[in-house]
Amino acid sequence: MSTCIQKEHSVESAVAGISADRRSLVSLIARLRSPSGQANPFPLYHELRERGDVVRAPWGAHLLTGYEVCEQVHRNGRTWLVPDAAWRARNGAGSFRWNAPSVQGLVKTLAWLNAPEHTRQRRSLGNVFGRGAIDALRPFVEATVERLLDTLAERLREEGEADFVPLVSEELPVATLGHWMGIPAGDHALLRELMHALEPAQELLPTKSELESAAVGMTGLRDYFTAFVRDRRRHPGDDPVSRWMRTWDEIEPDREAADENLYNLAMFLTIASLETSSTTLSVMVSLLARDRDRWQWLRAHPAHVPDAVEEVLRYDPAIHVSTRVAAEPTVIGGVPVEKDEMVHVLLGSANHDPRRYPDPDTFDIHRKASHLSFGVGPHYCLGAALGRLQTTSLLTGLLRRFPRLGVGAEPVFAPRVAFRRLMELKVVHE
Ligand code: HEM
């Protein structure tokens, strides 16, 4: 059994009986999980990087802090696997996390599969967000942006201040996904709620109570998408799930297995797209609208909107941590790692590594730098183009319609380390 499983529980409970150095590491991780750490984790990432590119975590896994090691692990999908069902069977006995129903549901989905099954499933989806598909979605996304900005304008007119999160950032992704996948508007609120409940299952160190509420999310999503796939069987159309159904009927003779895969794929695309996109939209407004001069400059130079979006993605990505396990004994950043040992890839830290980004904590829309915010390698984000379409469309609409947009109060983040979520973002227009 790997050490990370034996010692998985709370970081704080690991304090007893460890050296001063490890105790200070535990305190650093606790600060990262605190509200102030979530509001600004970047100084803490610098502290972590000062300890090395590969830092042994108190629960036995390794934290990867530097850009190069993070990129290397993501890119090398032969040596570095996602912790799939086989890994869990070897390492998860007695672990409340790996046996939690929510996690058991998640490990059947795309991001938790390794080759060859991962390759088969990913191929079955086709090039869903290629240029043609994105061009076809653009009018809907732009019209939805206009509709949501009408609501924002009205709220600002009536109340002088508005919470951008429920009005815009939570709405655009679910409307877009719903339109694309054919999910009725009446179901959007339910899906958002279930997905928020489930998300902590993907956290760095989920607590038992988080896993319990995640189980409710998983059950609800499973019921919803099982019925959804059944409905597509009865009424196939020209939507993505019906197209995948035709593919699966060709490659998988067992109808039940085909439908199970369809349900997992449709559910996972929903999970993968909603919070990540909402967080990116909120973070974008929070970073850009707090500097009036920059806002004005962007209004005058809209051709730089894509550069601004890339800097938002680099500066504060929606996913700060991804996880991999070693397929064989190996070495990363000069540190030996045993087969099955776990590494946490700190994408948020990698994106602020001063060896790659000069003055990394400065938000600079002229930087034109690449980043790890959509991952890299075999699990590279399938929806990156759609994420970019939503962010650029929204920013373009905001710049045009709200010349004096500002941030009313410091945004409130959920107490999470891996999957960022803004709970509240007050904006003003004055
Ligand atoms: C700006 C918004 C988004 C961000 C920052 C983001 C980020 C990421 C990252 C970092 C990964 C890789 C995780 C890993 O390697 O462990 C990923 C994977 C994935 N993303 Fe996104 N994502 C975004 C939007 C979307 C959207 C809109 C969709 C779909 C409609 C989507 C679908 C997926 C899928 C299916 C995967 C798993 C790919 C695989 O395992 O092969 N994402 N995303």
Side-chain angles (χ1 to χ4, degrees):
M1 184 192 292
S2 78
T3 45
C4 49
I5 292 302
Q6 287 162 343
K7 300 177 191 165
E8 69 184 358
H9 22 258
S10 92
V11 190
E12 292 79 4
S13 73
V15 178
I18 58 173
S19 69
D21 183 50
R22 292 192 74 205
R23 197 170 299 137
S24 81
L25 177 61
V26 170
S27 142
L28 209 166
I29 293 168
R31 278 187 284 145
L32 193 57
R33 300 170 90 198
S34 71
S36 63
Q38 280 312 286
N40 183 12
F42 305 109
L44 300 171
Y45 289 150
H46 283 295
E47 279 188 52
L48 267 177
R49 272 197 311 277
E50 276 166 15
R51 291 168 172 264
D53 277 334
V54 182
V55 178
R56 187 89 178 165
W59 56 95
H62 300 273
L63 303 171
L64 305 188
T65 65
Y67 183 93
E68 213 173 290
V69 287
C70 290
E71 207 253 356
Q72 220 174 309
V73 163
H74 261 252
R75 199 173 281 287
N76 184 347
R78 277 174 194 268
T79 304
W80 296 102
L81 305 177
V82 292
D84 60 8
W87 178 90
R88 204 170 44 95
R90 287 196 302 278
N91 298 277
S95 152
F96 73 78
R97 177 182 187 177
W98 297 105
N99 292 298
S102 53
V103 176
Q104 283 183 333
L106 277 173
V107 294
K108 296 177 192 149
T109 62
L110 194 62
W112 299 64
L113 298 174
N114 291 304
E117 188 55 23
H118 173 261
T119 319
R120 181 168 96 120
Q121 299 235 358
R122 187 147 172 155
R123 279 202 190 127
S124 78
L125 296 173
N127 187 14
V128 274
F129 299 119
R131 185 166 294 186
I134 290 294
D135 284 346
L137 277 169
R138 194 181 308 280
F140 176 84
V141 172
E142 288 176 354
T144 307
V145 164
E146 288 306 312
R147 175 172 63 78
L148 296 175
L149 295 189
D150 286 346
T151 317
L152 178 68
E154 196 180 310
R155 185 67 59 88
L156 285 167
R157 237 184 347 260
E158 282 169 3
E159 297 179 17
E161 190 181 65
D163 185 353
F164 195 79
V165 175
L167 283 179
V168 183
S169 356
E170 291 255 314
E171 283 297 323
L172 181 58
V174 77
T176 304
L177 182 92
H179 167 78
W180 177 67
M181 226 194 251
I183 296 172
D187 297 344
H188 292 180
L190 171 71
L191 284 185
R192 265 203 320 261
E193 201 181 302
L194 294 171
M195 188 259 317
H196 285 316
L198 173 67
E199 210 65 61
Q202 307 197 67
E203 258 308 298
L204 186 59
L205 297 167
T207 62
K208 274 191 175 152
S209 71
E210 281 174 337
L211 288 172
E212 274 158 19
S213 78
V216 176
M218 178 50 88
T219 306
L221 286 167
R222 191 184 52 219
D223 291 350
Y224 185 86
F225 282 103
T226 304
F228 189 80
V229 168
R230 208 176 297 136
D231 181 66
R232 287 296 186 275
R233 278 268 171 227
R234 281 198 292 267
H235 312 287
D238 192 28
D239 55 282
V241 175
S242 300
R243 284 195 289 275
W244 302 333
M245 193 174 288
R246 290 190 274 276
T247 304
W248 277 97
D249 286 346
E250 281 168 24
I251 62 176
E252 176 57 73
D254 179 343
R255 171 68 68 90
E256 219 174 290
D259 282 2
E260 166 93 5
N261 286 326
L262 281 168
Y263 135 74
N264 275 316
L265 287 166
M267 177 181 70
F268 187 71
L269 258 94
T270 306
I271 300 170
S273 66
L274 298 192
E275 263 203 11
T276 49
S277 305
S278 300
T279 300
T280 306
L281 300 175
S282 298
V283 162
M284 174 173 79
V285 170
S286 161
L287 285 169
L288 285 167
R290 65 180 61 230
D291 181 334
R292 184 61 57 84
D293 291 343
R294 186 161 43 215
W295 192 255
Q296 292 304 336
W297 188 88
L298 259 181
R299 291 191 74 230
H301 302 87
H304 288 265
V305 161
D307 296 342
V309 164
E310 291 311 304
E311 177 64 350
V312 168
L313 286 161
R314 178 202 72 88
Y315 192 89
D316 196 350
I319 302 180
H320 274 218
V321 185
S322 64
T323 294
R324 296 292 189 267
V325 291
E328 60 205 8
T330 184
V331 174
I332 182 76
V335 175
V337 177
E338 292 303 318
K339 174 179 159 70
D340 279 349
E341 273 193 321
M342 186 172 272
V343 296
H344 299 296
V345 183
L346 302 190
L347 300 166
S349 170
N351 279 356
H352 284 245
D353 185 341
R355 289 165 294 185
R356 181 163 178 103
Y357 305 100
D359 201 4
D361 295 346
T362 297
F363 178 72
D364 175 6
I365 62 172
H366 305 292
R367 197 181 281 273
K368 290 189 192 290
S370 61
H371 50 71
L372 293 182
S373 306
F374 289 119
V376 67
H379 292 274
Y380 179 75
C381 176
L382 186 76
L386 183 57
R388 286 184 166 116
L389 172 65
Q390 294 179 85
T391 36
T392 50
S393 303
L394 179 62
L395 183 53
T396 304
L398 282 168
L399 288 165
R400 182 169 39 78
R401 293 185 55 177
F402 297 88
R404 299 176 309 285
L405 193 71
V407 175
E410 280 310 308
V412 179
F413 283 87
R416 307 223 201 120
V417 174
F419 283 69
R420 303 273 276 164
R421 181 182 172 200
L422 269 84
M423 307 294 288
E424 189 182 286
L425 175 63
K426 290 282 163 75
V427 292
V428 292
H429 191 229
E430 50 201 15

